[in-house]
Amino acid sequence: MKDILINRFRTYLRNAAEAEYNPVTGFGGIGRRCRIATPVPELPYAYVPVSMAEDPQLELVRNNPTEWKKLRFRHDFEYWSVCCATIKPKTGWQYQPFVLNGPQRRVVAALEADRLAGRPMRMIILKARQWGASTLVQMYMAWIQCCLRTHWNSLICSQVKQTSLTLRGMLATVLDNYPQEYWPEDKKPALKPFQSSDDVRMINTRECCVSVASCHNQDSIRGADYAMAHLSEVAFWPRTRKRSPIDFLRAILGSVAIMPGSLVVMESTANGVGNFFHQEWLRCKSGEGDKHAVFVPWYEIELNRLKAPDDRALLASLDEYERNLWEQGLCLDQIYWYRCKTRAYGNDKAVHAEFPTTDTEAFTDTGRNVFAQQHVENMRAECTAPAHKGEVDASPAFADDPKGKLEMWEAPQPGAQYVAAVDVGGRSQDADYSVIAVMKRVRGGIPEVVAQWRGHADHDRVATNAVNIARYYSNALLAIESNTFETANYGGDADSNLFILSRIAEVYPNLYRRRHYDAATQTWHQRVGFHTNRATKAILVDTLVEAVRDGLYTERSAAACDEMDTYEQRGNGSYGAKDGHHDDILMTRALALHVMDSLPAMAPDSYSQLPSW
């Protein structure tokens, strides 16, 4: 009985909050507002933005209803939307005034805070389906072009050009139905062709061009003059050998000036992990990017509710996930809708991508991901920027250098034990990276990443760097993934590569060595380095999966977590990074942890030097 009463109270509060919002009176509107009298007969008073109340023009229009409304339009996007913007709703075919829903008001509040403060408006939106993110962005841009700015050009870009044209069609609908008495100029508003271009239209009398493009044609937007850009479904922009989403974004940002009133909104549903949109979301969510990160969960969307046939029976049948939703404060109408949607989709993962409860859940995996996303996110919480960047010389001594490739989270500690794991990549900029990771062995605790070198270099220089870094970290046990040095596939020939391994062994004795069976002599002997094949790689991966799942080591580099998010088991059973991504950082963690698991336990009262193998 208690839970039923709680549910009724939650439903009442939700409905009451929705009923209180009124964009015409301004009650419950965005930002700081004050109550003033109006000359509009059906509206004796209104709650208007403070900026309108302080506008000197207010006194001039105090007795003119039409001009008063036009002044309010310039200050109050929500009021303009309900009076001047016509849209086709998600349900039904009848066009109707655009009234902002809860998630839309939250987005506009962030944009308006920047606009009123004179800052460029930048935002990335991770969205669930069916709440009108694209519609909102188009209406907000239309408001700026119709009421606030002239000669304020905009770009609409999606994964396909037809989608961009559809979005621009929303603006055409607004102009076709715009009340003539509220248009700033005498001439009827319309979108007119501009210089015979199919991709560019101009809002007549406002001199604002609206261009459309797709992510497949980067050259079409170069050299243009945009003040606003709406980038839609960015997670689905493909990465190819000739172009990438980041290249296109750079071209767009190069065309949008960083100035007050300029706007760039990047919005998308999630499309797996590791792609550009996912990485940009993580960057902006952490505060490192230039955009506000806004996530809209499914339960904020008013449509996502369905009355259950029997509330008591539903409460008694909640599974663990649904019980968590209940404990978060959701009402049974929302939980029942979610249950029905899950049944319709057939599995939780598909629902999580389209209707996520959290932003982490939105980037659901493809079913082939090796590392569970939540486990990676737990590890990501410990990642920080390095304390120093630089290089280590042969002395060995560390020198700070902002352009250096060695990131250091912690300097060598007296008496501490370290393992330095090396994954050797290629020489060219397009090849895999070479990575040297240093992990500290902690008595009574878990291993911790303390340093990392990553870059492209000739193999002998990689070997020299590895030895220098290992010496710097208290003569760490140096474990080298030796495949690259044992084959000619990575440049040079196998003999010259093996010579590098021999030279390392001559100058640095504390090396990991593996047992190797020589079929020719039918004898066992030791070889420098860890050789990776299908069987040994599975061992490394299993070691790292367990460590990530159970929190058995402390990660510091967010790039390592990014690689875990894009690491998968392929159809043939092999492991590797998704196309366009790397796994070099990841493999150094797996190798370091595997080597540590093979070492004897640390002495309880001392930090003896790691043994050589």
Side-chain angles (χ1 to χ4, degrees), residues 13 31 64 116 233 274 342 353 384 396 465 478:
L13 290 178
N64 187 323
L116 293 172
E233 294 297 354
T342 301
T384 61
N465 285 334
L478 183 56

Side-chain angles (χ1 to χ4, degrees), residues 41-209:
E42 67 274 15
L43 189 68
Y45 64 87
Y47 296 89
V48 302
V50 171
S51 61
M52 178 183 176
E54 296 174 347
D55 193 323
Q57 294 293 316
L58 180 60
E59 188 63 32
L60 301 178
V61 302
R62 192 173 295 278
N63 298 314
N64 187 323
T66 299
E67 293 302 317
W68 184 92
K69 287 183 178 181
K70 290 165 72 173
L71 177 64
R72 184 177 174 187
F73 292 156
R74 294 197 291 272
H75 291 274
D76 194 341
F77 169 66
E78 296 165 277
Y79 185 61
W80 173 85
S81 296
V82 75
C83 293
C84 301
T86 301
I87 65 165
K88 187 180 78 67
K90 295 290 185 182
T91 56
W93 296 97
Q94 191 70 32
Y95 284 91
Q96 65 184 37
F98 179 46
V99 179
L100 277 67
N101 58 37
Q104 289 170 338
R105 295 198 295 275
R106 184 152 65 87
V107 169
V108 171
L111 293 173
E112 281 291 271
D114 282 343
R115 185 184 70 83
L116 293 172
R119 296 187 294 264
M121 293 174 282
R122 302 291 186 268
M123 181 174 287
I124 180 170
I125 302 173
L126 172 60
K127 63 182 185 178
R129 295 287 186 186
Q130 304 298 322
W131 65 271
S134 297
T135 301
L136 172 67
V137 176
Q138 283 303 303
M139 294 303 103
Y140 190 77
M141 291 167 61
W143 172 62
I144 292 174
Q145 291 175 319
C146 292
C147 296
L148 304 185
R149 303 274 189 166
T150 58
H151 302 88
W152 209 246
N153 300 333
S154 62
L155 170 70
I156 305 168
C157 185
S158 187
Q159 76 274 29
V160 293
K161 187 176 177 181
Q162 184 56 49
T163 301
S164 301
L165 290 169
T166 300
L167 294 176
R168 191 173 66 183
M170 296 180 185
L171 173 59
T173 299
V174 169
L175 297 178
D176 288 345
N177 295 278
Y178 207 101
Q180 183 61 48
E181 65 271 25
Y182 298 146
W183 186 247
E185 287 80 23
D186 294 334
K187 193 174 183 180
K188 182 176 176 59
L191 270 180
K192 299 293 186 181
F194 180 74
Q195 296 181 350
S196 302
S197 172
D198 292 334
D199 296 339
V200 185
R201 294 286 187 270
M202 176 179 284
I203 304 176
N204 65 332
T205 76
R206 302 296 291 175
E207 303 296 318
C208 294
C209 289

Side-chain angles (χ1 to χ4, degrees), residues 213-432:
S214 78
C215 62
H216 298 280
N217 188 4
Q218 299 179 14
D219 294 334
S220 65
I221 54 92
R222 295 188 185 278
D225 173 24
Y226 303 120
M228 300 188 293
H230 176 192
L231 314 179
S232 181
E233 294 297 354
V234 178
F236 296 87
W237 291 13
R239 178 190 177 108
T240 67
R241 298 185 68 178
K242 294 185 177 180
R243 64 176 64 92
S244 69
I246 185 60
D247 293 334
F248 199 13
L249 181 64
R250 285 171 180 159
I252 292 172
L253 293 181
S255 302
V256 179
I258 301 177
M259 59 184 176
S262 65
L263 177 143
V264 176
V265 175
M266 181 187 302
E267 49 89 357
S268 186
T269 49
N271 184 32
V273 298
N275 53 48
F276 166 73
F277 182 75
H278 178 233
Q279 294 170 347
E280 185 68 4
W281 170 261
L282 294 175
R283 193 174 73 92
C284 294
K285 180 185 175 183
S286 69
E288 296 179 2
D290 64 334
K291 306 173 190 66
H292 293 290
V294 177
F295 167 67
V296 176
W298 66 268
Y299 55 80
E300 287 189 8
I301 302 169
E302 296 165 10
L303 291 174
N304 297 344
R305 295 156 192 168
L306 186 63
K307 177 63 179 172
D310 188 334
D311 285 351
R312 294 180 185 275
L314 178 60
L315 267 171
S317 65
L318 296 181
D319 60 27
E320 181 180 359
Y321 189 90
E322 294 168 340
R323 176 59 62 179
N324 288 334
L325 296 177
W326 172 258
E327 292 175 355
Q328 290 176 37
L330 274 64
C331 67
L332 292 177
D333 291 0
Q334 294 168 306
I335 295 174
Y336 185 65
W337 176 92
Y338 191 81
R339 176 179 288 187
C340 292
K341 185 62 68 173
T342 301
R343 289 174 177 172
Y345 273 64
N347 64 80
D348 290 341
K349 288 181 178 180
V351 179
H352 292 171
E354 299 286 321
F355 301 97
T357 301
T358 67
D359 64 313
T360 299
E361 185 180 274
F363 295 102
T364 185
D365 61 50
T366 62
R368 297 184 299 178
N369 290 56
V370 173
F371 299 92
Q373 190 175 19
Q374 188 56 57
H375 299 158
V376 177
E377 290 304 308
N378 294 341
M379 181 158 285
R380 192 186 295 275
E382 300 293 329
C383 296
T384 61
H388 300 279
K389 291 187 70 174
E391 297 288 351
V392 171
D393 61 23
S395 9
F398 177 82
D400 276 301
D401 181 354
K403 296 183 179 180
K405 294 183 174 67
L406 178 65
E407 297 178 326
M408 188 166 66
W409 286 269
E410 181 183 280
Q413 302 298 306
Q417 294 184 352
Y418 299 95
V419 167
V422 183
D423 186 78
V424 184
R427 295 177 169 89
S428 70
Q429 293 300 311
D430 295 330
D432 289 335

